[in-house]
Amino acid sequence: MAGIVRATSLIVTPITPHRAVIVLPLVFPHRSFRVSGARIRCSAAGNKSPPPEFSSTAKIRSEVLSPFRSVRMFFYLAFIASGSLGGLIAITRLISALSNPVRAADVPEILKGIGIDFGAVSIFAFLYSRDRSAKNAQLARLTREETLSNLKLSVDEKRIIPVSAFRGIARLVILAGPASFISESYERSVPFTDGLLERGVLVVPFAMDGNSPNLESKETEEDNTDVGKKKRLWQLSPVYTSEWAEWIDEQKQMANISKDSPVYLSLRMDGRVRGSGVGYPPWNAFIKQLPPVKGIWSGLLDGMDGRV
């Protein structure tokens, strides 16, 4: 043999007295070539399919949030197929009528039918495209929310838990910006500390410039807010900050916001994103729009978390 073939295992199967098939597993995927009268077949196992664009959890949540969208899209496709088939049949009739002078009187009616068929196809294609775009946008949003739910938070020196652990317990408000922005947001939240805690709000400050924000308010005689309540409101801190920074940068990029712009993002009680914005969070609007987590309204208005 003129060539030298190396493999971990060889299986030689005779085909003719002068030829043999040599199978080399896990060398070259699905290829065959000849070396001096011998045909070498190479195959590889374990080829991985590309990962899905959206997670299965996001798809399930999308079906729950929009249960009739898949049904609508199925019927849209059925109507598109029906209209296309009817249009093709009408075109064959039109060709036959144009080639036969006896049936020339049927041409206007056939053209009318073709117009109706392809008009219906265009309408249902537009509706299908709109629903598909809405589905993809919803899946992208749910995937981002799922990624956010897996990010880690530090409650204290001993406890590190994911964002998803606060579902049904607290409404998180994430602040991302320089340390000066975090410090000023803290100062602005002091008068509303009691109201925010009553509504289950917890703040997640993330100083993206690497500096430590000042989370100590300027005490005055009129400031009767308990220091322990302030610390409880601002007790959370991000862990694995590179993952947090990557997620926040993606959100800014999708919203066409500069990376240097300070932003806030508020979550509902169930972990969904309620609202976001550039600049300082509207603490007073949170108190006006969010229901308390205790009392007769507890649980009843969890899904009515306002817009901010």
Side-chain angles (χ1 to χ4, degrees), residues 224-239:
N224 298 322
T225 305
D226 183 58
V227 176
K229 291 183 178 180
K230 298 177 189 176
K231 291 183 177 179
R232 183 152 59 95
L233 179 63
W234 291 76
Q235 65 180 324
L236 303 178
S237 59
V239 182

Side-chain angles (χ1 to χ4, degrees), residues 202-276:
L202 294 178
V203 183
V204 181
F206 180 36
M208 301 188 69
D209 58 358
N211 298 324
S212 298
N214 181 18
L215 300 182
E216 295 182 0
S217 62
K218 301 174 182 178
E219 300 292 340
T220 62
E221 295 181 357
E222 298 178 355
D223 185 11
N224 298 322
T225 305
D226 183 58
V227 176
K229 291 183 178 180
K230 298 177 189 176
K231 291 183 177 179
R232 183 152 59 95
L233 179 63
W234 291 76
Q235 65 180 324
L236 303 178
S237 59
V239 182
Y240 309 123
T241 55
S242 60
E243 297 179 2
W244 279 89
E246 181 181 358
W247 187 87
I248 291 173
D249 287 341
E250 288 178 357
Q251 309 315 302
K252 290 182 178 181
Q253 183 178 3
M254 295 187 64
N256 295 322
I257 298 175
S258 171
K259 286 188 176 182
D260 298 330
S261 300
V263 296
Y264 74 89
L265 186 142
S266 59
L267 305 184
R268 299 179 186 271
M269 187 73 77
D270 59 5
R272 291 181 296 155
V273 176
R274 174 179 56 248
S276 59

Side-chain angles (χ1 to χ4, degrees), residues 186-208:
Y186 174 81
E187 287 290 339
R188 297 187 179 206
S189 72
V190 169
F192 307 102
T193 299
D194 290 337
L196 292 172
L197 289 175
E198 289 175 359
R199 287 153 179 80
V201 175
L202 294 178
V203 183
V204 181
F206 180 36
M208 301 188 69

